[in-house]
Amino acid sequence: MTHLVKGFVTVLVLVALFALKVSSRLERRGYFDSADNSQPAAMVQPVAIPYSTPAASPLAGAAHHESYSSGTNTRPTYQSNTTFSGLNVSYTVRGNSSPQLTVRRDGAEVDPEVILSEITTDLVQGDGFQTRLLQTKLFGISAIKVHPSRPIVFASALEPPTVQSWSLETGKVIDTENLRQVIGDDIKFGERITCFGMTSEGSRMLVGSNKGTIWVFKISQTGAMKYERAYFGHGEEILSITSTPTGDLVASASKTQKARCWNAATGREIFATPPLSDNINAMRFVGKNQLWLTDGQQITCWNPDSGTQLQTEETNRNYRSGPAAFSTNGSEVVFTHFGDLKRYSTSDASFQSLFDDGPRVEYVRFMPGDTQLVAGSREQVTVWNLNGEIESRIAIQLLNSRLKGLDARPDGSLVLATDLVYGQIWHLQRD
């Protein structure tokens, strides 16, 4: 009798484990309610950001809350609720059902198209630039990336996690890839896009996630995308991705404070650095045999083939709090600390000049050719020459908006993304 009881208990345990495994897989796919399984998450109409004068504080009165939840008796749910300057936007996605959007201004429900009409090109203007606005249907832009040789920009959506490509010539959408639809088991519930990278020749888009995955998409000549594979190994949020000039190696950095190097064609991990003292805030391949990294306190150089450390330099500063950028040839790093930008030479270990940009810097880039720097904050984007002189300043006059991306094209034009609820892409072409 005892053996029968033990056998019965064993069967119950095995059944429970099997049910847990199935439930987990369904959760990763975003399915819990069979009534919704046949309906993919749809894109909704955009909502624009109300604006005011530049004197208004970009944070005044703003409150934002978002959450993911799941359970055995309910569908997975993503919820976002934002209140700012009398405007409240709530956004909910349950399982694979269509997103629900509600917009209220001063307590009264309002048509999103009314708010959308208030976004005009004169809200992002700068000397020497002409502004073009691309209104997206993306909820929560988290990254943008321009193609290295073609007039195409890629932008991400938060939920459902989506990558979209746009033509900068026509201002129209080229392709839209909802990751929950095209990736399947390679995406987890609650996984979302944190950053973009691209191979130097522009044939592959590398999409980093908040759970340590890198998804690889093949890019056609027209800007259409096709999912190929995923890289796994980080386990924590991906912060940045770069590639060699030939595109055969990819490097990524995450909140594990490590960098990993991958074979771009196979996804095989080649080597991983030991943890640095903090998160890596900039990296750059110089040729194929040097990978430069910095966490704001140290600058290190690695040989990707052997995994050996070639060089270490101490900055004798603490620049962990802000973004950083390497020049194309790796000879300089620009660090940021709130509104200050400091150029550091890797050749003679010296700080060369100081730029004071005022507001806290959110993004910094070397312009193509390494002759200029561009720095972006919540309120403005500034273009500097390397003598520390301001060449252009672009004012962002969107109340409570956030600069969510900044990139530069080879022709000297800039591409910006702003977002609080839905995203806008701004293409600033030189006069």
Side-chain angles (χ1 to χ4, degrees):
M1 187 68 177
T2 302
H3 293 296
L4 290 176
V5 171
K6 288 182 177 179
F8 180 70
V9 171
T10 301
V11 170
L12 288 178
V13 170
L14 292 174
V15 170
L17 290 173
F18 176 75
L20 182 62
K21 182 176 180 180
V22 171
S23 176
S24 176
R25 177 167 293 239
L26 290 174
E27 180 179 340
R28 290 179 67 187
R29 296 291 297 273
Y31 297 96
F32 274 90
D33 190 327
S34 60
D36 290 326
N37 284 353
S38 61
Q39 299 296 323
M43 305 304 295
V44 300
Q45 293 300 313
V47 120
I49 301 171
Y51 61 90
S52 182
T53 63
S57 168
L59 295 177
H64 179 74
H65 172 75
E66 64 181 50
S67 64
Y68 284 90
S69 62
S70 63
T72 56
N73 297 319
T74 61
R75 292 171 290 168
T77 300
Y78 170 81
Q79 292 181 315
S80 172
N81 192 73
T82 304
T83 301
F84 58 101
S85 300
L87 189 76
N88 175 270
V89 179
S90 61
Y91 182 93
T92 303
V93 181
R94 290 186 175 90
N96 274 3
S97 61
S98 298
Q100 298 175 351
L101 173 69
T102 304
V103 181
R104 289 182 173 85
R105 173 178 279 170
D106 298 325
E109 190 164 341
V110 61
D111 186 344
E113 293 296 329
V114 173
I115 304 171
L116 181 65
S117 66
E118 299 176 3
I119 300 295
T120 57
T121 57
D122 61 337
L123 300 179
V124 176
Q125 289 288 331
D127 294 337
F129 288 94
Q130 293 183 345
T131 304
R132 184 177 193 178
L133 170 61
L134 310 181
Q135 287 282 9
T136 79
K137 297 181 180 180
L138 300 175
F139 172 74
I141 287 182
S142 57
I144 61 169
K145 187 71 176 177
V146 299
H147 194 278
S149 60
R150 297 193 287 277
I152 300 170
V153 61
F154 300 84
S156 69
L158 179 64
E159 188 63 43
T162 302
V163 181
Q164 195 169 75
S165 55
W166 286 73
S167 168
L168 293 174
E169 291 182 333
T170 66
K172 295 182 179 179
V173 175
I174 299 171
D175 192 14
T176 301
E177 296 292 326
N178 183 329
L179 271 58
R180 298 209 188 282
Q181 296 177 5
V182 302
I183 291 181
D185 285 347
D186 284 348
I187 184 169
K188 308 177 184 69
F189 172 64
E191 195 161 19
R192 56 190 179 183
I193 299 167
T194 58
C195 64
F196 283 151
M198 184 171 288
T199 54
S200 299
E201 82 290 353
S203 66
R204 298 292 187 279
M205 168 67 79
L206 306 150
V207 182
S209 88
N210 62 322
K211 297 193 176 182
T213 310
I214 299 172
W215 301 295
V216 182
F217 286 82
K218 185 176 181 180
I219 307 300
S220 73
Q221 291 291 322
T222 62
M225 298 167 282
K226 182 180 180 181
Y227 177 64
E228 287 190 329
R229 66 178 63 86
Y231 304 163
F232 301 98
H234 277 289
E236 293 286 346
E237 180 178 331
I238 304 295
L239 302 175
S240 59
I241 309 172
T242 189
S243 75
T244 57
T246 55
D248 54 345
L249 297 180
V250 170
S252 53
S254 75
K255 285 189 174 181
T256 60
Q257 301 175 9
K258 294 181 180 180
R260 297 179 184 272
C261 191
W262 316 82
N263 181 301
T266 65
R268 179 179 64 86
E269 183 178 314
I270 298 173
F271 89 100
T273 67
L276 275 68
S277 57
D278 210 311
N279 291 332
I280 297 168
N281 52 13
M283 57 183 180
R284 166 78 73 174
F285 278 105
V286 178
K288 184 179 178 180
N289 298 318
Q290 293 184 7
L291 174 61
W292 288 85
L293 311 170
T294 183
D295 63 357
Q297 298 183 89
Q298 283 187 335
I299 301 172
T300 59
C301 182
W302 301 79
N303 184 315
D305 293 328
S306 62
T308 56
Q309 189 170 338
L310 303 176
Q311 188 173 340
T312 302
E313 298 180 17
E314 299 287 342
T315 64
N316 297 316
R317 302 287 197 282
N318 184 354
Y319 290 113
R320 295 178 297 173
S321 59
F326 279 98
S327 61
T328 304
N329 61 10
S331 64
E332 291 187 5
V333 191
V334 171
F335 296 104
T336 63
H337 183 69
F338 293 96
D340 295 337
L341 291 85
K342 197 87 167 182
R343 288 170 60 203
Y344 183 85
S345 171
T346 57
S347 59
D348 59 12
S350 65
F351 283 94
Q352 296 182 328
S353 58
L354 175 69
F355 305 83
D356 183 2
D357 200 40
R360 181 187 181 97
V361 174
E362 305 280 350
Y363 297 90
V364 62
R365 299 282 189 275
F366 276 89
M367 295 285 284
D370 293 341
T371 60
Q372 295 172 310
L373 284 171
V374 57
S377 69
R378 292 176 183 268
E379 302 170 2
Q380 64 188 26
V381 173
T382 307
V383 181
W384 305 80
N385 64 32
L386 297 190
N387 294 322
E389 300 166 336
I390 295 177
E391 295 197 348
S392 301
R393 197 185 291 277
I394 299 159
I396 302 174
Q397 302 179 36
L398 297 174
L399 180 65
N400 290 325
S401 72
R402 296 186 62 186
L403 185 65
K404 300 296 291 185
L406 168 63
D407 211 348
R409 298 198 62 237
D411 62 3
S413 64
L414 300 175
V415 179
L416 319 178
T418 55
D419 172 81
L420 187 59
V421 181
Y422 282 81
Q424 301 81 39
I425 299 174
W426 307 84
H427 185 204
L428 290 102
Q429 296 173 287
R430 294 187 181 273
D431 291 336

